[in-house]
Amino acid sequence: MTIYSAPLRDIQFVLHELLDVHAALPNIEGFERDTTDQILEAAGAFASEVIAPLNGTGDHQGCVIVAPGVVRTPDGFKEAYRQFVEGGWNGLACDPADGGQGMPGVLNGALFELFCGANMAWSAYAGMSHAAYTCLAANADVQQRALYMPRIASGEWAGTMCLTEPHAGTDLGLLRTRAVPQSDGTYVVTGTKIFISGGEQDMTANIVHLVLARLPDAPPGVKGISLFIVPKFLPTADGGLGARNAVVCGSIESKMGIHGNATCTMNFDGATGWLLGEAGKGLTGMFVMMNHARLIVGINAIGLMEAAYQKARRYAFERLQGRAPGAGARADAATPIVAHADVKRMLLTQKAYVEGARAFALWAAHLADVQHHHAEPAARRRAEDLLALATPIVKAFSSDLAVECCSLAMQVFGGHGYIHDNGVEQHLRDARIIPLYEGANGIQAMDLLDRKVLADGGQRLELLLQEIEACAQSRQGPAELDALRTTLGDGVSRVRAAVQHLVGRSAAHPDAAGAGASVFLRLMGHVCLAWMWVRSASVAAERSSVSDDLIYEAKIATARFYFERLFPETRSLAAVLQSDPAVVCAVDADLL
């Protein structure tokens, strides 16, 4: 089942009514509300009509090596990419100086949710290229910008991120790939990288690999890492394609999902490369790309949740089974399963998580726009601090929820969800990679708690908590929402108590942060989504008095469900964070 319907109305609600992104950034011209809606509608049509029908094909066929180092993507992928490029989609969010349109990042995030919901494996090619473009924009010199960025923006060339090695995953300080300087200013790059998304494909004329490697005199650890541009084909002086570089796909990973994306082992056998940024500052340069990618893959997770939810909802209305209470006395009068309370519970859980996570993720993407484009320096600095906190939450909490929600969608189908024909099990397999992407979620949790919270005693976190608390203390709007605001305030108090406890505990116990990080991130995720639901319900209550659009009634009902059925988890999470980390860390490894 490949049917996908772009959730345009809900995205419009978030962009225009909840966040009002255009009012916050009036200096971004050319993307007013009417234009934004036209772009969203066209993207939704491309997603549902062009790439969604290829989702099952890509999963079934996968990518194959047809000759040494030559990869063929599934049927239809190359043609869909051609349409994508011809439609100008690839360059919308790129700088006009590179031939792009300068589209705000928050709108780009909304588009990638649509593309990923329709076909995650296909959309990952363009998504990784845009992440590479972002890295080049932050680190490239004038000549590198002129050579690479317009061609990636146009979609003529693609980009990848080459970090992981067989012996070194998250610990990049262990990487062994070497880069030896040459007299002409180039470098000879030798080593092997694994798990490289889009490392080889047949859709673009060239692939620009961004590779972490060590110089001969580099010190050990992460401070000795530099970043290099290593293209598949060496560019000529005029930007054409020269000789084939000594970089080749050695194999395609046999994996659980996203079969339509070529996840490659890449062998650099004395390949020619160029230093990108400063020597020894490669990890700093790459983190620009990684943080962008973390936000985008969190948004991708929301796209998969939405796609799975749509399938489950459609099936629940069509499937007749059993008799719901009050359905009547006829023994043969089966009712649609959506009438059963437990099915409603599963659908409401998915809806609450999808729409809450969408609102928070687009709020975070909007922070990136404010950081780069707001006229006031203070506003830019505040957005930067808030985005640092939001990024690991968007990435980790959204991806965890994607796995949970896709599993719930399968459960709605019952046994029919476990077979290929209905398409929902593919979403679960595809979603399972996202908690591992761009640093596993445990790393995201440590980044949030250890580096962003405990490092300054929770001072930066207070920026976010104060903003959430102001919403909780507001009494604007209908009184019926006051109970939700009070509950949200209780959640903020739980976070503050947890931080105070963890600051004290970590001073005496080195494993306190590690033992509590994932729990703390989930607590923060719930509080952030609850904040979005209070705001959404407040807007909906105001608009419902002058509009008969059912979205407003649905927002209020879903907000109530979230607070009464999902948010109570914060009480147990807070209790766990008060426990002694020794119950985890003091257990002898032999007892595991």
Side-chain angles (χ1 to χ4, degrees):
M1 184 185 296
T2 58
I3 297 173
Y4 171 77
S5 178
L8 299 181
R9 181 65 186 94
D10 197 67
I11 290 175
Q12 290 167 340
F13 173 85
V14 174
L15 293 177
H16 304 321
E17 301 178 70
L18 181 65
L19 301 180
D20 196 6
V21 296
H22 298 89
L25 286 173
N27 58 323
I28 294 183
E29 299 178 355
F31 293 94
E32 291 76 18
R33 178 168 178 166
D34 289 347
T35 304
T36 294
D37 286 344
Q38 291 172 8
I39 293 171
L40 286 169
E41 290 170 8
F46 181 84
S48 60
E49 297 170 12
V50 178
I51 60 174
L54 302 175
N55 197 39
T57 301
D59 183 57
H60 177 70
Q61 292 184 351
C63 296
V64 294
I65 295 180
V66 294
V70 179
V71 171
R72 184 178 66 210
T73 55
D75 292 348
F77 271 44
K78 186 175 181 179
E79 172 61 20
Y81 185 79
R82 183 190 63 78
Q83 294 181 50
F84 183 76
V85 169
E86 290 179 351
W89 295 107
N90 205 70
L92 272 177
C94 297
D95 194 317
D98 302 316
Q101 299 298 315
M103 183 175 68
V106 65
L107 181 52
N108 191 50
L111 296 190
F112 266 98
E113 185 206 313
L114 300 180
F115 299 147
C116 183
N119 191 326
M120 178 181 171
W122 182 92
S123 65
Y125 291 106
M128 185 54 65
S129 289
H130 190 71
Y133 175 91
T134 302
C135 184
L136 288 163
N139 298 287
D141 61 29
V142 174
Q143 290 181 326
Q144 291 169 340
R145 284 188 65 97
L147 177 59
Y148 294 103
M149 292 179 63
R151 290 168 178 81
I152 294 179
S154 71
E156 178 185 359
W157 294 359
T160 74
M161 175 168 53
C162 300
L163 288 75
T164 307
E165 300 183 3
H167 61 284
T170 302
D171 189 356
L172 294 173
L174 299 176
L175 69 82
R176 298 171 183 163
T177 298
R178 310 293 292 180
V180 179
Q182 305 298 296
S183 59
D184 61 357
T186 64
Y187 293 79
V188 173
V189 179
T190 303
T192 296
K193 301 289 185 177
I194 62 172
F195 304 154
I196 309 306
S197 299
E200 183 58 68
Q201 35 81 1
D202 57 0
M203 300 191 297
T204 62
N206 203 2
I207 303 173
V208 182
H209 302 289
L210 302 184
V211 184
L212 289 179
R214 292 186 183 282
L215 295 170
D217 59 350
V222 296
K223 293 183 179 180
I225 299 174
S226 299
L227 181 58
F228 299 87
I229 300 173
V230 186
K232 174 181 174 181
F233 287 97
L234 298 175
T236 61
D238 60 356
L241 298 182
R244 175 68 189 258
N245 206 353
V247 51
V248 65
C249 171
S251 65
I252 298 174
E253 310 291 352
S254 178
K255 53 190 187 293
M256 180 179 181
I258 56 167
H259 296 147
N261 191 267
T263 308
C264 301
T265 295
M266 301 300 298
N267 297 318
F268 298 84
D269 298 318
T272 300
W274 288 264
L275 182 67
L276 178 60
E278 295 182 46
K281 300 291 182 64
L283 200 56
T284 300
M286 184 65 84
F287 260 107
V288 174
M289 185 176 186
M290 290 183 69
N291 283 329
H292 172 86
R294 286 168 176 170
L295 200 59
I296 289 297
V297 299
I299 290 172
N300 287 351
I302 297 162
L304 284 179
M305 281 193 276
E306 170 70 35
Y309 167 67
Q310 287 184 17
K311 289 180 172 63
R313 185 181 185 277
R314 187 180 303 113
Y315 183 80
F317 275 87
E318 296 171 353
R319 175 70 168 175
L320 303 178
Q321 184 132 346
R323 288 187 297 117
R330 286 180 54 200
D332 60 343
T335 55
I337 62 172
V338 72
H340 296 290
D342 195 55
V343 174
K344 281 187 177 180
R345 174 192 64 82
M346 290 188 285
L347 292 174
L348 278 167
T349 298
Q350 293 170 71
K351 181 178 176 64
Y353 280 146
V354 169
E355 295 181 12
R358 174 182 294 129
F360 184 67
L362 292 180
W363 173 79
H366 182 50
L367 287 176
D369 290 327
V370 174
Q371 178 188 351
H372 291 105
H373 299 293
H374 202 282
E376 298 296 330
R380 295 198 297 269
R381 288 193 297 270
R382 178 180 175 82
E384 182 179 8
D385 285 339
L386 290 173
L387 182 59
L389 293 165
T391 296
I393 299 172
V394 170
K395 192 277 178 182
F397 194 48
S398 294
S399 58
D400 282 344
L401 294 182
V403 175
E404 295 171 24
C405 287
C406 290
S407 181
L408 277 177
M410 280 184 62
Q411 194 70 21
V412 171
F413 276 82
H416 292 282
Y418 199 65
I419 61 175
H420 290 292
D421 291 349
N422 288 305
V424 70
E425 58 83 34
Q426 181 189 341
H427 293 314
L428 179 57
R429 288 186 288 105
D430 287 350
R432 192 57 190 85
I433 185 59
I434 306 181
L436 308 175
Y437 263 154
E438 313 307 335
N441 281 356
I443 301 298
Q444 308 302 317
M446 282 297 291
D447 175 53
L448 175 66
L449 180 57
D450 199 27
R451 298 187 183 94
K452 308 285 176 60
V453 176
L454 297 182
D456 67 358
Q459 294 180 38
R460 178 163 45 182
L461 179 64
E462 269 300 307
L463 289 175
L464 179 57
L465 294 182
Q466 287 172 10
E467 190 161 341
I468 298 173
E469 191 171 50
C471 175
Q473 292 176 348
S474 170
R475 288 300 178 260
Q476 295 180 348
E480 62 181 319
L481 300 182
D482 286 350
L484 305 189
R485 297 189 183 98
T486 298
T487 304
L488 175 60
D490 293 340
V492 172
S493 297
R494 290 187 189 107
V495 171
R496 285 199 174 110
V499 170
Q500 183 178 9
H501 175 77
L502 288 167
V503 167
R505 176 78 75 172
S506 62
H509 200 303
D511 289 318
S518 292
V519 179
F520 180 78
L521 188 143
R522 191 169 180 93
L523 173 63
M524 281 300 306
H526 267 302
V527 171
C528 291
L529 263 62
W531 176 38
M532 291 296 133
W533 273 117
V534 168
R535 293 178 59 180
S536 297
S538 299
V539 171
E542 178 183 347
R543 303 290 170 84
S544 64
S545 62
V546 295
S547 172
D548 58 1
D549 190 336
L550 285 178
I551 191 174
Y552 301 124
E553 184 179 345
K555 288 291 180 187
I556 295 170
T558 310
R560 288 173 175 160
F561 174 84
Y562 185 86
F563 274 94
E564 294 192 22
R565 284 301 186 103
L566 302 178
F567 193 69
E569 185 186 357
T570 60
R571 291 196 289 266
S572 63
L573 295 169
V576 170
L577 289 171
Q578 294 291 328
S579 67
D580 189 343
V583 300
V584 175
C585 304
V587 177
D588 192 286
D590 290 336
L591 301 180
L592 299 177

